[in-house]
Amino acid sequence: MRLTLHTDYALRVLIYLAQNRDRRVSIHEIAEAYGISHNHLIKVVNHLSHGGVVHARRGRCGGLELAARPQDIIIGSIVRRMETDLRPIASCEPANGQPCLLAQGCLLRGLLARSVDAFLEVLDKATLHDIMPTDKIAPEMELSRMLMAKPPSPATPAGTELPPIAVKATSN
């Protein structure tokens, strides 16, 4: 599953805001810190703001801040909000008006749908707090390197379960 830059930038914004909870942050500051387009970031922040994930205030004392605690922001929800198309990798849609010859007995569609569900289930167990680095983010650091855990080695025996992601339970 491949996430769009839109989602990547949204997660960067949220991590930056979580690390700067003591103050409001400007879009310009975030764009400068990550070396990304200010105009593109405006679209991302707009999406987050309309979704209630980020509070955006205009004016001299304005800026961005998280609408909730990092422990309460679920990564799976953010990915669903930012991704416009979470269909499986091979959606088995007819090409050029030709029906798929394997559609009747094909199990690929169901397998891919379950894989997307499993992907989102893992993200639903992680909060913004869980993916925050312990130090302030260096501007040149790429989010993909921060979020990517070492994948299981191909030598992992089939049926071996990987440890679950640790998620702190919070009560409201």
Side-chain angles (χ1 to χ4, degrees), residues 46-153:
N46 232 350
H47 203 149
L48 291 170
S49 178
H50 288 298
V53 181
V54 168
H55 289 300
R57 295 191 179 141
R58 294 181 180 213
R60 205 174 86 181
C61 295
L64 306 172
E65 58 189 356
L66 292 175
R69 299 177 316 153
Q71 297 90 327
D72 298 330
I73 298 174
I74 306 297
I75 300 303
S77 297
I78 302 303
V79 169
R80 282 184 189 86
R81 173 170 302 286
M82 302 309 291
E83 290 295 320
T84 57
D85 187 7
L86 283 173
R87 291 181 300 163
I89 300 154
S91 59
C92 303
E93 291 177 357
N96 302 326
Q98 301 293 325
C100 177
L101 298 175
L102 302 174
Q104 297 271 331
C106 180
L107 301 176
L108 181 60
R109 214 177 322 189
L111 175 65
L112 293 173
R114 288 194 315 273
S115 69
V116 170
D117 291 344
F119 173 78
L120 291 170
E121 183 180 327
V122 169
L123 295 178
D124 286 339
K125 293 177 183 174
T127 67
L128 178 58
H129 182 265
D130 297 327
I131 66 168
M132 286 176 51
T134 53
D135 297 332
K136 292 273 186 181
I137 297 173
E140 65 277 0
M141 185 181 236
E142 301 240 356
L143 180 65
S144 57
R145 280 189 269 157
M146 287 181 352
L147 295 178
M148 298 298 284
K150 182 179 176 187
S153 73

Side-chain angles (χ1 to χ4, degrees), residues 153-161:
S153 73
T156 303
T160 303
E161 288 193 18

